[in-house]
Amino acid sequence: MSTTVPAAAGEVRAEADRQDAPAAAPARRQRMTDRARKERNLGWLLAGPAFVVMLSVTAYPIANAVWYSLFDFRLTDPDGRSFVGLGNYATILSDVLFWRQFGVTAAITVVTVAVEFVLGFALALVMHRALFLRKSVRTAILVPYGIITVVSAYAWQYAFTPAYGFVNPLFGSDLDWFGETVPSLVVICLSEIWKTTPFMSLLLLAGLAQIPSTYIEAAKVDGATAWQRFRKVVVPNMKGAIMVALLFRTLDAFRIFDNVFVMTQGANGTETLSFLAYRQTITRVMIGLGSAVSVILAVLVVLIAFLFIKGFKVNLAEQRGA
């Protein structure tokens, strides 16, 4: 039995192109060059204005944060501002509290993204294969994502509050969910998973829809089981969609703030890096330290994106029309 993916459609075409390369290469190269030039010009024409606007509204705040991070600057004492170079970064990176909050942030990110990926994939398969009431099923699954994060956070806080929530009476428990670190993080993760799993499933559904049905049918003819079709045909052919879904959700989860702010205010060891930047900048008005935390967070986000792109080795430009 062969479970070879008909992936091969692209590989066969590529092989045929290589065989015909000597004769056809010059003409094709010329045509591709003209088309590439026109596509590039059209791309700049369409995306140029948006690119300039995005650059103007994001570059200045980033540059300003980097600049302030080099100063010992307290908002209530603007005249006392002094240049400290990388002193704020040294202070933050040598503080045990920062690494604890980094660990909390990483734990929330890993747990929520892993669970969301599994549940999101299952929901995407349900939405993709639903034969009846397809629109109703998709709407019902996507409803949580349409709710504002702060609203859903208050709802989950209400549900797990011992005094008036319904979770403890339902399970006959008297646990104070927001009195200790682990139960608090469990509720925060549950709220995050419930809210954003539909987004993950939506991205994965887009990947499923791009897989030609002929691939699945060919695998069935070869005698592949459902699991073999999923592992050998479905997953490899939606590698780009999986990377985008995991990348988007990882970056979003790593910057988690709303749920922590609403449910615990960072108490009992639930403070994350985003909340640390907020507390330093807004609560303590330590603009220099807060800016340094924000810059470190931005660098970590860029590093995560770089690792994802390098790790998956997916060229999204080649995914067009797959």
Side-chain angles (χ1 to χ4, degrees):
M1 176 184 69
S2 170
T3 59
T4 304
V5 181
E11 297 174 1
V12 170
R13 288 196 298 271
E15 182 62 27
D17 290 343
R18 283 194 293 271
Q19 293 175 355
D20 297 337
R28 183 173 63 250
R29 190 180 303 115
Q30 184 62 34
R31 289 197 301 274
M32 288 299 292
T33 300
D34 293 340
R35 187 176 65 180
R37 185 183 301 108
K38 291 179 180 178
E39 288 184 349
R40 183 195 59 188
N41 294 339
L42 179 61
W44 276 109
L45 182 64
L46 296 175
F51 177 75
V52 172
V53 172
M54 288 294 295
L55 188 64
S56 61
V57 299
T58 58
Y60 174 75
I62 293 174
N64 202 37
V66 173
W67 174 252
Y68 278 141
S69 70
L70 304 177
F71 290 86
D72 181 8
F73 177 27
R74 193 181 184 92
L75 193 60
T76 54
D77 184 22
D79 295 333
R81 186 171 71 175
S82 59
F83 183 79
V84 295
L86 300 178
N88 286 329
Y89 294 98
T91 301
I92 293 169
L93 295 176
S94 61
D95 193 330
V96 175
L97 186 61
F98 169 80
W99 292 107
R100 176 186 173 86
Q101 290 155 357
F102 175 80
V104 171
T105 305
I108 292 175
T109 302
V110 171
V111 171
T112 56
V113 173
V115 176
E116 287 171 20
F117 179 68
V118 175
L119 295 179
F121 220 128
L123 292 176
L125 289 171
V126 170
M127 289 190 287
H128 185 61
R129 295 181 176 277
L131 299 178
F132 304 101
L133 301 174
R134 174 174 291 188
K135 292 183 179 178
S136 300
V137 170
R138 293 183 177 183
T139 302
I141 291 175
L142 295 176
V143 163
Y145 189 63
I147 298 175
I148 299 172
T149 305
V150 173
V151 175
S152 70
Y154 274 115
W156 280 84
Q157 184 195 36
Y158 176 85
F160 282 86
T161 299
Y164 45 80
F166 64 85
V167 173
N168 276 356
L170 185 64
F171 294 99
S173 170
D174 58 353
L175 177 63
D176 181 4
W177 290 90
F178 300 107
E180 299 179 13
T181 301
V182 175
S184 300
L185 291 177
V186 168
V187 180
I188 290 172
C189 288
L190 287 175
S191 176
E192 187 77 1
I193 292 168
W194 179 82
K195 171 71 174 61
T196 53
T197 294
F199 176 67
M200 178 79 83
S201 65
L202 195 62
L203 294 176
L204 295 174
L205 176 63
L208 282 172
Q210 290 183 348
I211 301 176
S213 59
T214 53
Y215 288 14
I216 305 295
E217 295 301 325
K220 287 181 180 178
V221 171
D222 284 347
T225 63
W227 171 247
Q228 287 172 329
R229 293 196 298 271
F230 176 77
R231 191 165 60 91
K232 299 289 188 180
V233 179
V234 175
V235 172
N237 283 285
M238 56 183 298
K239 194 176 178 182
I242 292 174
M243 187 205 73
V244 171
L246 289 177
L247 177 60
F248 280 16
R249 274 304 302 138
T250 300
L251 298 183
D252 198 30
F254 197 76
R255 296 179 289 112
I256 183 172
F257 175 81
D258 313 58
N259 282 310
V260 176
F261 181 82
V262 170
M263 293 186 188
T264 64
Q265 289 280 319
N268 300 319
T270 59
E271 194 170 77
T272 60
L273 290 181
S274 292
F275 197 90
L276 174 63
Y278 164 82
R279 187 163 60 82
Q280 294 293 333
T281 307
I282 305 300
T283 306
R284 299 186 62 203
V285 293
M286 299 291 292
I287 305 301
L289 277 175
S291 298
V293 174
S294 299
V295 171
I296 292 174
L297 182 60
V299 171
L300 290 174
V301 166
V302 172
L303 180 62
I304 291 172
F306 176 79
L307 293 176
F308 263 88
I309 294 173
K310 287 296 182 184
F312 274 84
K313 299 178 180 176
V314 174
N315 186 349
L316 294 179
E318 295 179 354
Q319 300 294 311
R320 294 181 304 176

